Amino acid sequence: MLQTSRIALRAPEPSDLDFLFDFENDTTLWPVSLSLTPFSREVLRQYLENATADIYAARQLRLMVCLRETDNTVIGTVDLFDFEPLHQRAGVGIALAAAQRGKGYGLEVLQLLEAYAAQVLQLHQLYCSVGQENTASLKLFRQAGFQEIGVRQEWLRTPGGWQNVVEFQKLLSVS
């Protein structure tokens, strides 16, 4: 269920340490991930050792995005966070390696994640926040059927100054 002909989503594994080290320390991603400091290999190793696939216990779930045609090379991550089982909702965040953006993988990832969220986790809705200057992500979430529900003014402090954030929501249909 968590794959298409081009990509697969899977739980993090110890072999993902090098990818996560490079990815989490990419300062261009820090404004959207709310990071301010680098991650050490040791911290990430501990994360991988203690990562649980139980979204009910952790209230979050990270999946690795892999290319199937290249022996499952990791190209990014997708996260469900702020999981709220009572209200059946979670936030969603996606990040792909720069070289893999603009190839349609993001839309496939969101479609897989939505099906999993609706059918397996029985979620009613997903939501996300996207910086107003992140035109590629704005386009992706609109293309995936997320509806814009508002704009938070001067919500993110970036090196270039304050940035507005567009809030999106998608109601899921359980099949």
Side-chain angles (χ1 to χ4, degrees):
M1 176 178 171
L2 290 176
Q3 65 183 17
T4 68
S5 62
R6 298 189 327 145
I7 62 162
L9 305 180
R10 64 162 174 78
E13 299 175 350
S15 61
D16 297 324
L17 179 61
D18 289 337
F19 177 85
L20 287 174
F21 180 78
D22 292 341
F23 210 60
E24 295 290 354
N25 290 307
D26 180 349
T27 58
T28 64
L29 297 175
W30 285 7
V32 294
S33 67
L34 305 179
S35 295
L36 294 174
T37 58
F39 285 88
S40 69
R41 286 186 187 280
E42 180 60 20
V43 165
L44 291 169
R45 186 190 60 73
Q46 289 175 15
Y47 162 76
L48 289 169
E49 282 182 2
N50 297 309
T52 174
D54 184 1
I55 191 170
Y56 288 92
R59 297 288 197 238
Q60 64 184 14
L61 175 69
R62 168 164 280 183
L63 297 171
M64 307 305 289
V65 180
C66 305
L67 285 181
R68 294 188 67 209
E69 63 260 17
T70 61
D71 200 25
N72 292 315
T73 301
V74 177
I75 62 165
T77 62
V78 63
D79 298 289
L80 290 176
F81 59 89
D82 293 341
F83 172 64
E84 179 49 60
L86 175 63
H87 302 293
Q88 297 174 287
R89 66 178 174 239
V92 60
I94 181 173
L96 297 177
Q100 303 302 331
R101 296 177 195 151
K103 298 179 179 181
Y105 297 129
L107 184 59
E108 287 183 51
V109 168
L110 287 179
Q111 291 168 339
L112 285 173
L113 189 69
E114 288 171 26
Y116 176 76
Q119 296 167 13
V120 177
L121 300 176
Q122 299 291 301
L123 293 186
H124 175 64
Q125 63 184 291
L126 296 174
Y127 62 90
C128 67
S129 304
V130 179
Q132 205 164 34
E133 295 174 15
N134 187 343
T135 55
S137 287
L138 292 171
K139 179 182 175 185
L140 169 63
F141 282 97
R142 287 179 178 131
Q143 188 177 11
F146 280 69
Q147 300 298 308
E148 183 176 329
I149 58 169
V151 176
R152 294 183 190 264
Q153 301 298 308
E154 298 184 8
W155 196 253
L156 291 178
R157 187 179 69 159
T158 68
W162 291 100
Q163 185 180 156
N164 296 344
V165 167
V166 180
E167 297 294 337
F168 287 96
Q169 177 184 34
K170 184 167 186 180
L171 299 179
L172 304 175
S173 58
V174 179
S175 346

